[in-house]
């Protein structure tokens, strides 16, 4: 049976990095609600402005809207098999919605918790810089953007900082995670569908553990 892989973790835990690797190396589509909202923000509609405000404040976009977007996206051809959700669900209501979607799509939900010591999250987020050309994620404290393997990249010009990676937004996002998203750990644990991953390690180590576990029949 195909799977819906859910990545749970605080902002900065490395969900995006892992989802990106799964897509690059195994062709498993990465469905990132954060990325989809960021794309939407650039249009100047009232809805886009509202989303922009919510994201800047570190809150959550309404569940119905988020779910509709995920449903529409995952009904596309490339999501016929296993796919990875990066950033959804973010609360228990969304997790219930995902149960319905999984039933409709005849897929099994498997969740991974990428567990990272909360002391380092602030630095991971405020130090984060992304190459807007290739999407590579750097960090001014932990992974300085000195070189990129992709020849088309000129890091001087292409590095951007996310609008919500400033200290004020970061603190609010971490609170939102504690209050709304953390209950998902119990949600998936209770039903025996959670794999806990120590996220305080090298990207490659984390990747191989997740990648192996995706193929397990559990
Ligand atoms: P991310 O890139 O996953 O950190 O998401 C950035 C922002 O997008 C979050 O702080 C939320 O404001 C919004 N967002 C992303 N995913 C969701 C979701 N599943 N539900 C509600 N809001 C979301």
């Amino acid at each position: 049976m195909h799977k819906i892989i859910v990545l749970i973790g605080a902002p900065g835990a490395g969900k995006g990095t892992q989802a990106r690797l799964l897509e690059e190396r195994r062709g498993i589509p990465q469905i990132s609600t954060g990325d989809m909202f960021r794309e939407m923000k650039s249009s100047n509609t009232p809805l886009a402005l509202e989303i922009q405000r919510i994201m800047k404040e570190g809150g959550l976009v309404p569940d119905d809207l988020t779910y509709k977007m995920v449903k529409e996206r995952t009904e596309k051809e490339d999501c016929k098999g296993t796919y990875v959700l990066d950033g959804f669900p973010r609360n228990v209501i969304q997790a219930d919605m995902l149960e319905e979607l999984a039933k409709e799509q005849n897929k099994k939900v498997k969740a991974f918790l990428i567990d990272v010591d909360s002391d380092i999250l602030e630095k991971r987020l405020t130090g984060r810089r992304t190459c807007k050309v290739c999407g590579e994620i750097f960090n001014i404290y932990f992974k300085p953007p000195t070189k990129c393997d992709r020849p088309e990249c000129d890091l001087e010009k292409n590095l951007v900082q996310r609008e919500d990676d400033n200290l004020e937004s970061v603190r609010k996002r971490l609170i939102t995670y504690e209050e709304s998203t953390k209950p998902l750990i119990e949600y998936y644990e209770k039903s025996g569908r959670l794999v806990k991953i120590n996220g305080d390690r090298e990207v490659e180590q984390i990747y191989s553990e997740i990648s192996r576990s995706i193929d397990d029949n559990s």
Side-chain angles (χ1 to χ4, degrees):
M1 196 182 214
H2 292 305
K3 292 176 185 146
I4 300 176
I5 305 299
V6 168
L7 298 182
I8 304 170
K15 302 183 295 293
T17 300
Q18 295 299 327
R20 198 169 121 82
L21 287 177
L22 288 167
E23 178 164 279
E24 264 177 23
R25 296 182 184 174
R26 298 191 48 179
I28 302 176
Q30 169 192 13
I31 312 301
S32 160
T33 43
D35 282 350
M36 287 192 266
F37 287 134
R38 272 183 288 281
E39 273 164 34
M40 250 179 163
K41 264 185 1 185
S42 47
S43 64
N44 245 339
T45 61
L47 178 64
L49 292 175
E50 175 65 4
I51 290 173
Q52 198 167 343
R53 185 188 62 76
I54 293 171
M55 289 175 81
K56 233 184 173 161
E57 286 177 1
L60 293 181
V61 176
D63 297 325
D64 288 343
L65 174 68
T66 307
Y67 177 65
K68 192 167 162 249
M69 190 178 73
V70 170
K71 185 169 156 62
E72 266 176 36
R73 174 64 188 86
T74 59
E75 277 165 357
K76 293 199 171 147
E77 188 63 27
D78 64 329
C79 292
K80 274 228 152 78
T82 293
Y83 60 82
V84 181
L85 289 176
D86 161 16
F88 183 92
R90 273 294 222 275
N91 59 26
V92 169
I93 294 171
Q94 293 183 5
D96 285 338
M97 289 168 154
L98 181 63
E99 296 297 292
E100 285 303 307
L101 188 69
K103 233 185 269 164
E104 261 175 49
Q105 296 181 344
N106 194 28
K107 289 184 166 96
K108 211 159 110 175
V109 176
K110 181 164 185 172
F112 288 87
L113 168 68
I114 306 183
D115 203 9
V116 171
D117 188 354
S118 58
D119 291 349
I120 64 165
L121 290 172
E122 251 181 43
K123 267 194 163 175
R124 279 212 191 179
L125 291 160
T126 54
R128 175 160 67 182
R129 302 289 184 276
T130 309
C131 172
K132 67 180 177 198
V133 176
C134 71
E136 183 77 29
I137 302 164
F138 299 94
N139 188 291
I140 56 171
Y141 305 113
F142 307 121
K143 186 189 174 194
T146 46
K147 72 175 177 68
C148 178
D149 297 337
R150 297 166 177 82
E152 72 276 20
C153 278
D154 175 347
L155 284 180
E156 296 247 319
K157 281 197 217 134
N158 296 335
L159 275 191
V160 288
Q161 181 176 28
R162 269 173 52 167
E163 244 181 275
D164 59 353
D165 275 346
N166 63 78
L167 192 56
E168 197 187 344
S169 300
V170 161
R171 293 204 165 138
K172 287 184 186 146
R173 286 160 63 206
L174 291 172
I175 292 171
T176 302
Y177 173 75
E178 289 291 323
E179 290 177 353
S180 304
T181 312
K182 241 183 168 175
L184 293 181
I185 298 174
E186 203 192 328
Y187 185 100
Y188 289 112
E189 207 165 28
K190 261 204 225 146
S191 48
R193 293 176 296 169
L194 184 77
V195 179
K196 285 188 184 166
I197 304 278
N198 172 3
D200 286 321
R201 294 174 302 162
E202 290 296 315
V203 168
E204 289 299 333
Q205 268 182 304
I206 299 169
Y207 173 77
S208 54
E209 209 174 312
I210 294 178
S211 182
R212 225 177 310 124
S213 182
I214 283 179
D215 300 325
D216 282 358
N217 264 338
S218 56

